[in-house]
Amino acid sequence: MIASNDTVSHFQEILSAHIGRFKHYPQDAVRERLQGTVQIVFVMNRGGELLDLWVDKSSGYDFFDREAMETVRRAQPLPPIPPDLPDRLNITMPVAFAKS
């Protein structure tokens, strides 16, 4: 079965919102008023278990890169994959750090 674009988009929104609740702004960045975005990639199974995780594109700051990865680790278990998507997914996601 092929999933619709709506299913994929909706799951990405759910996943992003879930992970976002676990994000912490690094103290080093607060003091320096720094901002950055890390592009991460992770592999997950149907049950929401994180199988692999890496930085695809660095923010240029080690503390943002580390925190982006820790955010995903803290967010486990991730929301389960919907039935009409594959049992295992590779997810590419930006994790933005910006103070308003």
Side-chain angles (χ1 to χ4, degrees):
M1 173 183 268
I2 298 175
S4 72
N5 285 340
D6 288 343
T7 301
V8 172
S9 294
H10 184 66
F11 183 60
Q12 287 175 328
E13 289 172 12
I14 290 169
L15 204 50
S16 182
H18 174 79
I19 290 170
R21 290 193 296 269
F22 294 88
K23 184 170 62 174
H24 300 215
Y25 204 88
Q27 286 302 309
D28 292 341
V30 171
R31 282 191 291 277
E32 300 294 324
R33 298 181 189 192
L34 298 174
Q35 300 182 66
T37 300
V38 183
Q39 187 81 14
I40 58 168
V41 178
F42 59 93
V43 182
M44 64 178 289
N45 67 16
R46 180 158 307 281
E49 180 185 5
L50 183 65
L51 303 174
D52 202 359
L53 170 67
W54 64 93
V55 171
D56 186 49
K57 184 177 179 193
S58 173
S59 64
Y61 297 101
D62 287 340
F63 47 81
F64 283 143
D65 296 352
R66 280 191 309 271
E67 179 54 32
M69 291 180 52
E70 286 304 312
T71 296
V72 176
R73 288 183 183 112
R74 280 192 299 272
Q76 290 186 85
L78 300 167
I81 297 172
D84 50 343
L85 293 177
D87 288 341
R88 187 175 165 137
L89 293 176
N90 288 12
I91 306 289
T92 301
M93 178 180 292
V95 179
F97 297 92
K99 283 291 188 185
S100 46

